[in-house]
Amino acid sequence: MVATVEISAREAEVLALVGEHLSNAEIGAKLFISVRTVESHVSSLLRKLEVPDRRALAQRASASVRDDRPHPAPVLPRPLTSFIGRGRERAELTEMIGEYRQVTAVGPGGVGKTRLALAVAAEMAAAYTDGVWFVDLVPVTSADTGVIAGTVALALGLGEQPGRGMDESVLTALADRHALLVLDNCEHVRDGVAPFIERLLATCPRLTVLATSRARLMVPFERVYTVAPMSLAGDGDSDAVQLFMDRAAAGGWPPNHALRDQVAAFCERLDGVALAIELAAARWTTLGLDGLEAGLSDQLRMLAGGPRAEDRHRSVRAALDWSHALLEPDDRVLLRRVSVFMGAFTVEAAAQVAASEKAVVADGLARLAEQSLLAVTAFPSGTGYRALETIRQYGTEQLTQAGELAGTRAGHLRWCLAEAAELTVVKADWRARFDAVADDFRAAMAWAGDQPEHRADALRFAQHLGRLCFTRNLIGESQMRYEQAAALADDPSAAASMLRHAAAAAGCQMRGDDMHRLHRAAAEAALRSGDSAGAARELATAAANGYRFASKFVRPLAPEEAITLITEARQLAGADPAAKAAVALAEAGRALTDALTGPQSSDDLVPETIARAERAVELARRTGDPLAESAALDTLAGAHSMAGDTFAAAAVARSRMVLLKSAPHTPAGTHELIDALGEAAEAGLGAGDLLGARRWAQQLADHPLLAEVGHRATSWLLVTDTLAGNVEGVRTNSIRFLESWHRVGDPVKSVLGPAVAGVAMIHDLRGDDDARAEWDAVTSQLGTSPAHTHGYGAVFDALALLHRGQVNEALERTASEPGEVWRWVTWIWLHWYVALRAEAAVLAGAPDAADRLAEARTVVAGNPLAGAIVERAAALHAGDLERLLATAAAFDAAGCRYQSARTRVLAGGEHAARGAAALAELGLAPMAPITL
């Protein structure tokens, strides 16, 4: 019977999102809480619901949704088998874990390492403030450290972060955690686990690792605890006997206590190995003790002197051989054939792989489960089965001995291909369905990739996996699968296509160097296929990306390499429209970069740069490829920005968003869309379209690809909310920003500067000096760039100074003439800067106030927000109250509640009271009085 579990409302929300297979970062973004808070809730749920890992927790959540109960109902009852004995081992292992930071529980398969580790970890949970995490490495088929790190990251609730390896994400997430990490079944990936643990312990000083393995890991910090078989001391009262009696009683026929001494002798012949004892006890009701002894004796004689296994495996193998020999012939066949499944499987799946009728398979699986050779698990659609790892490995050996391994794996591959094809249609339960078969997909791909006769299927499957992993936001694996598909393709044109997808996936991860390498590899493949125009497109794209996405490169594209690429692409392009468009884009990017990096006197290059960009747009439009046209529009927007034409840049950015409205959910389409959203938000702010800018910024913040990098996702949303005076929005999203920024190692990225300065200003306006100091410290870490000095930094400083009534200081902060500053630094901030500069001059009574007003009117003409600030300053200068109050409506229409409230305060009298109330409603401190 299952006990009622009390969980809080917030825990219920977290549980529901775990059931949707969201990562901790994605859950935090949805619920507006930190990742650490999510981790705490997940850890609590694991304890309260008594489930071993996150996968089981997701199943429990899914069952809760199906049952529509206020609190999650368990998918399975509490474990039917209790943990028996091992009091001495538990005490010894607990003491060792408390003293050393890395302990490996070592012993042969089936001895009970996992159960002991889980029991000890559960007892020690309260001692670790940041939780206890369990990671089963059984599904991992590669000793690659990155793959192991990915499995650990999944257990921790970490998703993939663009521009960052999974191992780095795990290290950063656990850097300051006081936690216990249990790594189970390390033996088959020991070469990858050892260096991973070594890095973990070196980077995370408060972390303890408990590993289980059949052999020690040879890590410098390692302390080995040898897990002995179940104790045989005490004869009829030993741990081994208690285990047998408990498991045998579960079959409904408890052994007579008078048989305890005979059972003790039987357990001694099993060497006290827990798995062997449990398998034997499962047959108690049908064979009795005499039958068990006879069967085991036969199997032990079979192994006498045989070289088939190491000594440490003989006991478990004996029990398995014995249990296997007792099966009906058809059940033996079924057991070995379903051993190819890495995860849980249904009757239908088993029937396909075993090449047998569904009804026959259903009966066979039930019998295997009854004999403890398969574990029964719950699927959303019904009952599923899963083989324990030791039994799965045993079944694989039987497949080999029967000469059926290749045929069964081929059947498994066909099943995986069919499942992958069904997953191409994304439905509400897509994530759960993919996660349920992902381990099988990876295992099938690992096998097929090495089978020449299955090369065509392997190629098709790698392509499927590339798409599916991208949809699942496993961008790094998506890139790897596309590269794998390219390596399997006999047709170089197909290889070029796969490499192009891989390059786009690398771009989504902010891995510019990989993106560049893959485009060049795609060009080589295209040349091998005789497609000169295709090679030209790839080479030109590699050059253009070096200009467009320079911040994504560790090694910036050298100017001479870019020139060589463009020259070669031009020679190969011929008359092909797409190739010519790609070359034109690369040439426009080069022109724009030269103009930007040259001296300010290079203004004469502006018309030529714009003309080149417009030519690139026209050629791209003729190809009918929206992604190519979007890339060209990106360069054109940059050219207009450099020219100081804020409105033209914003118009181009809007055109780009219209073009990408139906962008395909492919690596290339997603890469282009994310870039376009950021540019549209940025350009909208510069043109005074605050509502439009916020709309684009919200889409960027909500994009699933950025869930793990909240600082990038929320950056422009924070800026728009700051300027609008949406204090609650800023406070909520700044938590996500800061937590994410710390989690990925506090990267110094100048693009983050406006968001950080904006949040600092909001806390200034709130009168929260401590919070302001915290964000000022972040600003210092990012460095004082020219944009901070003359662009966004001046704007946010002026806003804060004016709010505090420090008009002379605001006048000094905006002393620089707009023309003195290089336009690229201030382009989206120019209108804000000159408008606030004019207001500061008026409020400070500066002698040149009229001149500043006149200049500002010319510069900001057409900008509704900056224009309203200038108009308000002019009304103040003229003492025209009616004209002053009229600007409040303009601010309201533009979505800028802060400036609307500020207008009423500046109007004085009864209007000031309304303005002060509006500021208080926003959560801001009162404005300081200003005497005109």
Side-chain angles (χ1 to χ4, degrees):
M1 183 174 180
V2 181
T4 300
V5 177
E6 291 293 334
I7 63 174
S8 68
R10 178 63 85 187
E11 286 174 338
E13 290 177 323
V14 171
L15 181 64
L17 294 175
V18 168
E20 294 177 19
H21 292 251
L22 299 187
S23 69
N24 284 356
E26 291 171 317
I27 294 171
K30 279 186 173 291
L31 299 181
F32 303 108
I33 57 179
S34 71
V35 171
R36 181 168 291 193
T37 300
V38 178
E39 291 175 354
S40 176
H41 287 314
V42 171
S43 179
S44 174
L45 287 166
L46 289 171
R47 289 195 303 271
K48 288 183 177 181
L49 299 179
E50 298 184 348
V51 292
D53 53 31
R54 193 180 183 91
R55 178 178 292 181
L57 193 63
Q59 291 177 330
R60 181 71 55 91
S62 298
S64 173
V65 172
R66 290 195 304 274
D67 293 343
D68 195 26
R69 296 172 182 169
H71 295 294
V75 174
L76 296 173
R78 287 186 178 184
L80 297 177
T81 57
S82 56
F83 187 78
I84 301 296
R86 292 203 182 272
R88 176 181 57 82
E89 291 93 329
R90 281 188 288 181
E92 290 174 349
L93 187 54
T94 298
E95 181 179 359
M96 187 176 286
I97 293 171
E99 185 174 358
Y100 301 106
R101 293 185 57 222
Q102 202 274 298
V103 177
T104 304
V106 173
V111 78
K113 301 183 295 295
T114 298
R115 288 297 300 269
L116 176 62
L118 284 172
V120 170
E123 291 173 357
M124 299 186 71
Y128 292 91
T129 56
D130 290 318
V132 174
W133 303 93
F134 179 81
V135 184
D136 186 4
L137 296 179
V138 165
V140 179
T141 57
S142 167
D144 181 83
T145 302
V147 177
I148 293 167
T151 304
V152 175
L154 181 62
L156 295 176
L158 301 175
E160 191 159 16
Q161 302 167 5
R164 193 176 190 84
M166 293 298 263
D167 53 342
E168 294 298 327
S169 297
V170 172
L171 292 173
T172 304
L174 294 175
D176 62 344
R177 299 292 200 269
H178 180 222
L180 174 63
L181 180 66
V182 182
L183 299 177
D184 194 37
N185 294 301
C186 297
E187 58 272 357
H188 63 301
V189 288
R190 188 170 53 164
D191 291 343
V193 166
F196 176 71
I197 290 178
E198 190 169 350
R199 286 192 67 196
L200 265 181
L201 296 177
T203 307
C204 311
R206 303 176 67 210
L207 180 71
T208 299
V209 175
L210 170 60
T212 72
S213 176
R214 296 185 186 181
R216 63 179 304 175
L217 303 179
M218 305 300 289
V219 179
F221 313 91
E222 183 181 32
R223 290 296 183 274
V224 175
Y225 181 80
T226 301
V227 180
M230 298 294 290
S231 171
L232 299 169
D235 296 328
D237 294 321
S238 69
D239 285 352
V241 171
Q242 288 184 43
L243 177 64
F244 183 95
M245 300 294 276
D246 180 85
R247 301 304 190 254
W253 183 18
N256 191 312
H257 281 259
L259 296 174
R260 277 181 171 268
D261 289 340
Q262 290 177 263
V263 170
F266 175 74
C267 290
E268 186 172 1
R269 296 178 66 187
L270 290 176
D271 293 330
V273 175
L275 177 60
I277 292 170
E278 294 202 27
L279 289 170
R283 302 292 292 174
W284 164 261
T285 57
T286 55
L287 294 177
L289 190 56
D290 291 342
L292 290 174
E293 289 175 337
L296 180 56
S297 298
D298 288 340
Q299 299 308 313
L300 287 173
R301 282 197 296 271
M302 268 175 44
L303 284 173
R308 295 195 304 167
E310 298 175 6
D311 288 342
R312 63 197 180 100
H313 291 153
R314 287 178 183 260
S315 298
V316 174
R317 187 178 298 280
L320 289 171
D321 282 340
W322 154 77
S323 185
H324 181 260
L326 294 176
L327 295 175
E328 294 296 325
D330 288 345
D331 289 348
R332 295 181 198 173
V333 174
L334 181 59
L335 178 63
R336 65 178 180 250
R337 290 182 179 176
V338 298
S339 69
V340 296
F341 285 102
M342 295 296 294
F345 55 88
T346 62
V347 171
E348 292 79 4
Q352 290 181 45
V353 173
S356 183
E357 295 181 8
K358 180 179 175 180
V360 173
V361 168
D363 286 342
L365 293 177
R367 286 192 295 273
L368 292 173
E370 289 171 359
Q371 297 174 43
S372 301
L373 292 170
L374 293 178
V376 180
T377 187
F379 272 9
S381 57
T383 303
Y385 299 87
R386 188 185 188 99
L388 299 177
E389 175 59 13
T390 305
I391 295 172
R392 194 189 67 76
Q393 292 180 4
Y394 181 86
T396 302
E397 289 182 1
Q398 297 299 312
L399 274 178
T400 302
Q401 293 174 13
E404 298 176 355
L405 182 62
T408 304
R409 287 207 176 277
H412 182 245
L413 174 62
R414 287 191 296 271
W415 175 78
C416 287
L417 278 166
E419 289 293 304
E422 287 188 13
L423 283 168
T424 56
V425 179
V426 179
K427 300 177 181 177
D429 62 344
W430 189 91
R431 276 194 172 199
R433 290 169 58 217
F434 174 83
D435 289 353
V437 295
D439 290 335
D440 277 292
F441 283 1
R442 293 173 181 128
M445 187 66 236
W447 175 79
D450 293 331
Q451 308 299 316
E453 65 273 23
H454 292 286
R455 190 180 183 89
D457 282 341
L459 168 60
R460 187 157 57 97
F461 197 26
Q463 291 172 317
H464 274 311
L465 282 178
R467 289 190 292 270
L468 294 173
C469 289
F470 187 83
T471 302
R472 183 61 178 86
N473 293 328
L474 300 174
I475 313 301
E477 184 172 356
S478 174
Q479 176 186 331
M480 183 265 284
R481 296 303 180 186
Y482 280 125
E483 290 193 60
Q484 192 174 21
L488 289 166
D490 294 323
D491 179 2
S493 63
S497 175
M498 292 299 101
L499 289 166
R500 190 160 50 249
H501 287 309
C508 290
Q509 291 189 94
M510 298 188 71
R511 297 185 182 276
D513 300 82
D514 264 9
M515 181 170 57
H516 184 76
R517 169 183 63 82
L518 291 163
H519 276 301
R520 298 204 66 165
E524 294 173 5
L527 280 176
R528 290 197 303 272
S529 72
D531 182 7
S532 298
R537 291 195 301 274
E538 298 301 330
L539 293 172
T541 299
N545 285 346
Y547 298 128
R548 293 182 63 206
F549 306 114
S551 65
K552 296 185 178 183
F553 283 71
V554 175
R555 181 187 67 84
L557 186 62
E560 56 273 15
E561 182 181 356
I563 293 171
T564 300
L565 287 170
I566 294 172
T567 301
E568 187 177 353
R570 191 187 301 115
Q571 294 169 348
L572 292 170
D576 183 81
K580 290 173 66 177
V583 172
L585 173 60
E587 291 175 334
R590 178 189 169 193
L592 178 59
T593 301
D594 289 345
L596 288 170
T597 56
Q600 191 161 347
S601 60
S602 61
D603 282 353
D604 55 341
L605 296 177
V606 170
E608 179 186 348
T609 302
I610 292 176
R612 284 182 176 274
E614 288 175 337
R615 173 66 174 162
V617 171
E618 178 58 29
L619 290 176
R621 188 170 290 141
R622 292 178 189 175
T623 68
D625 181 356
L627 300 185
E629 186 177 346
S630 171
L633 286 170
D634 176 32
T635 302
L636 179 58
H640 283 309
S641 300
M642 181 196 66
D645 193 340
T646 301
F647 300 113
V652 170
R654 287 194 298 271
S655 297
R656 194 178 173 200
M657 288 310 307
V658 171
L659 187 68
L660 294 174
K661 195 170 185 179
S662 57
H665 185 63
T666 61
T670 301
H671 187 213
E672 196 67 30
L673 177 62
I674 289 175
D675 181 72
L677 284 168
E679 183 177 73
E682 196 175 6
L685 286 171
D689 181 13
L690 192 58
L691 295 175
R694 193 184 191 286
R695 190 164 57 249
W696 306 131
Q698 186 67 63
Q699 289 185 35
L700 194 63
D702 293 340
H703 199 286
L705 189 65
L706 301 180
E708 304 294 335
V709 282
H711 55 296
R712 282 183 58 207
T714 61
S715 180
W716 286 112
L717 185 58
L718 284 169
V719 175
T720 57
D721 280 344
T722 291
L723 294 172
N726 181 8
V727 177
E728 281 308 305
V730 172
R731 294 178 68 184
T732 297
N733 285 306
S734 65
I735 294 172
R736 180 183 173 194
F737 178 103
L738 199 59
E739 191 277 335
S740 172
W741 185 65
H742 286 321
R743 183 157 44 90
V744 300
D746 302 357
V748 178
K749 297 288 186 181
S750 60
V751 71
L752 303 177
V756 173
V759 176
M761 187 208 74
I762 284 292
H763 288 303
D764 195 333
L765 268 56
R766 293 179 61 238
D768 189 338
D769 294 336
D770 291 340
R772 170 73 195 236
E774 180 183 12
W775 285 88
D776 280 344
V778 177
T779 300
S780 298
Q781 284 185 254
L782 295 179
T784 305
S785 65
H788 181 269
T789 302
H790 301 291
Y792 66 84
V795 168
F796 288 130
D797 286 348
L799 284 167
L801 291 166
L802 291 171
H803 186 90
R804 295 199 301 266
Q806 297 172 275
V807 293
N808 291 321
E809 289 85 348
L811 185 65
E812 183 179 349
R813 186 66 177 90
T814 56
S816 297
E817 294 289 337
E820 295 176 2
V821 184
W822 180 224
R823 292 189 187 97
W824 186 253
V825 172
T826 62
W827 76 273
I828 74 165
W829 302 103
L830 179 62
H831 292 185
W832 290 91
Y833 181 81
V834 298
L836 293 170
R837 187 170 185 266
E839 181 173 315
V842 170
L843 293 176
D848 63 345
D851 293 336
R852 288 197 181 190
L853 281 169
E855 175 193 39
R857 282 196 187 93
T858 301
V859 173
V860 307
N863 184 318
L865 265 175
I869 293 174
V870 173
E871 176 64 15
R872 181 177 64 196
L876 286 167
H877 192 252
D880 189 335
L881 180 61
E882 184 177 349
R883 183 179 168 193
L884 173 66
L885 288 171
T887 64
F891 287 125
D892 285 330
C896 194
R897 295 172 62 197
Y898 170 68
Q899 291 296 346
S900 175
R902 177 174 169 76
T903 298
R904 292 182 169 86
V905 174
L906 290 172
E910 62 181 278
H911 305 293
R914 291 179 56 197
L919 289 175
E921 185 179 343
L922 289 173
L924 299 176
M927 281 174 52
I930 298 174
T931 303
L932 297 179

